[in-house]
Amino acid sequence: MTIQQAKNFGKNELENSPTPVLDTEVLLQHVTKLDKTRLLLNRDFSLSEEQEFLFIESIKKRKTGLPVAYITHEKEFYGRNFYVDENVLIPKPDTETLIEKALEAASEIERSKSSSSDSFRICDLCSGSGCVGITFLKELEKSAPELHKKARITFIDISESALKVTMLNAARIFSESEINKARFIQSDLFESLNGNSATETKFDLILTNPPYIPSKEAADLLKDGRSEPILALDGLSEDGLGIIRRLVPRAFSRLEKGGGIIMETGEYNAKEAAALMEACGFSDVQTTKDLNGMDRDVSGRKA
């Protein structure tokens, strides 16, 4: 089977996919280790027996509805490649707005501190792949290097399997000094976060992409075979706010004075999430729209 024959095979086999050509090319790139340009220039190149077998098996998996990222175990987010498997959600482009908002918030929080500190403590709550916390810290290094030097990050996830993916990605992307300043904790929200001082138990900035999809809708989403973990999707209530109702007051108590939270939530419950934050005492509560112009992130400060 040549590359061109493989392209034709994939396109025909994946006719029910919304993106059959793209899916085929990404799977071919993964199997052959050739980029898009080299695939185009080597259309008559014959796949090895192993490559052909792996490609056909990948196409079979994609036909079941399994996302390409779970087949290749790789997804790009904010210009970096993250390992993903079926224990974590696949990073979505709309989540990049959370990173941009977090970079703005970090500088504002640091400027507003009444006294200087030798640390800036960050929490990536419900970390999953770790794409939020890892990306934020790497981008902070570029935009605010002095603040980055003080940064300490804690990753928390209820799932041991998900936390292992967080750790794997941190090991791949972080520098040695960043790894040495990171903690990885398996916990239901902050329940297992213990320490003898505020340095160990409180944060300047909490970033979180918690489960927020209404329970029935979360179950319906998975009927297409996408295999994303229900644990990371289901907000455990009819309105999707079951976890967020627990998270918001706990986050408030875990923030230092002047600290902030940025939370991704759905366009159908962002306003309700913002109201919950105001009711819990957060000030300067704002809602940010995603790339499609839909309400996506809710942020607030602890005055």
Side-chain angles (χ1 to χ4, degrees):
M1 180 184 288
T2 65
I3 285 177
Q4 187 57 50
Q5 289 171 334
K7 285 184 176 181
N8 292 336
F9 172 81
K11 184 176 68 174
N12 292 332
E13 288 293 306
L14 300 178
E15 60 182 359
N16 292 325
S17 165
T19 54
V21 174
L22 178 61
D23 292 352
T24 299
E25 287 191 350
V26 172
L27 293 174
L28 265 178
Q29 288 175 49
H30 176 68
V31 167
T32 63
K33 309 305 179 189
L34 299 174
D35 61 27
K36 185 175 181 179
T37 300
R38 291 174 68 193
L39 280 181
L40 186 63
L41 295 175
N42 293 278
R43 62 181 65 194
D44 295 325
F45 174 83
S46 293
L47 303 180
S48 68
E49 287 186 13
E50 181 182 12
Q51 288 173 334
E52 183 173 333
F53 172 79
L54 291 174
F55 174 68
I56 291 173
E57 288 301 303
S58 296
I59 292 294
K60 288 179 181 177
K61 291 177 182 178
R62 181 66 186 118
K63 285 180 71 175
T64 68
L66 190 67
V68 170
Y70 285 153
I71 301 171
T72 64
H73 293 302
E74 191 168 89
K75 182 65 176 179
E76 182 180 319
F77 180 80
Y78 224 95
R80 297 177 182 84
N81 288 324
F82 285 81
Y83 171 88
V84 294
D85 61 26
E86 286 145 289
N87 294 300
V88 300
L89 292 182
I90 298 168
K92 307 295 192 296
D94 283 332
T95 302
E96 295 190 0
T97 60
L98 190 155
I99 304 298
E100 293 160 9
K101 184 70 176 176
L103 291 169
E104 294 174 7
S107 296
E108 292 172 3
I109 291 167
E110 181 66 8
R111 282 196 300 268
S112 67
K113 281 187 176 181
S114 57
S115 60
S116 61
S117 170
D118 61 357
S119 68
F120 186 86
R121 284 159 282 143
I122 308 142
C123 178
D124 180 356
L125 183 63
C126 307
S127 60
S129 68
C131 68
V132 169
I134 292 170
T135 299
F136 170 74
L137 204 61
K138 297 306 293 184
E139 291 302 310
L140 189 68
E141 184 178 19
K142 293 192 290 186
S143 65
E146 291 304 312
L147 186 54
H148 172 266
K149 288 178 184 178
K150 302 198 298 183
R152 307 285 188 275
I153 189 163
T154 299
F155 295 92
I156 298 175
D157 201 286
I158 192 173
S159 164
E160 180 182 6
S161 297
L163 197 63
K164 286 179 179 178
V165 176
T166 303
M167 295 170 71
L168 188 155
N169 280 317
R172 289 175 58 175
I173 297 171
F174 273 168
S175 66
E176 183 178 352
S177 64
E178 288 167 333
I179 284 286
N180 290 337
K181 294 186 288 185
R183 292 189 298 172
F184 304 87
I185 299 173
Q186 182 185 358
S187 177
D188 179 4
L189 302 180
F190 300 101
E191 302 306 320
S192 300
L193 181 63
N194 300 310
N196 298 319
S197 67
T199 301
E200 297 173 297
T201 59
K202 290 202 171 187
F203 303 98
D204 297 295
L205 182 61
I206 295 173
L207 309 176
T208 182
N209 183 4
Y212 57 73
I213 297 177
S215 294
K216 184 181 184 305
E217 188 172 333
D220 289 343
L221 275 175
L222 299 179
K223 290 178 180 178
D224 63 1
R226 68 179 63 189
S227 297
E228 289 190 286
I230 189 69
L231 185 66
L233 293 169
D234 188 355
L236 301 182
S237 65
E238 290 184 8
D239 59 3
L241 291 168
I243 292 174
I244 290 174
R245 286 192 182 92
R246 293 176 53 225
L247 187 160
V248 170
R250 287 166 173 78
F252 188 84
S253 68
R254 293 288 182 170
L255 281 171
E256 292 280 16
K257 185 177 180 180
I261 181 173
I262 304 171
M263 175 174 63
E264 178 170 320
T265 185
E267 66 273 10
Y268 30 68
N269 55 25
K271 288 182 174 59
E272 290 80 0
L276 281 171
M277 288 177 64
E278 289 176 342
C280 282
F282 281 98
S283 62
D284 194 25
V285 175
Q286 299 177 11
T287 302
T288 305
K289 295 186 183 299
D290 61 24
L291 301 174
N292 295 310
M294 307 296 288
D295 289 344
R296 179 64 52 187
D297 302 318
V298 180
S299 59
R301 297 279 292 275
K302 182 176 181 177

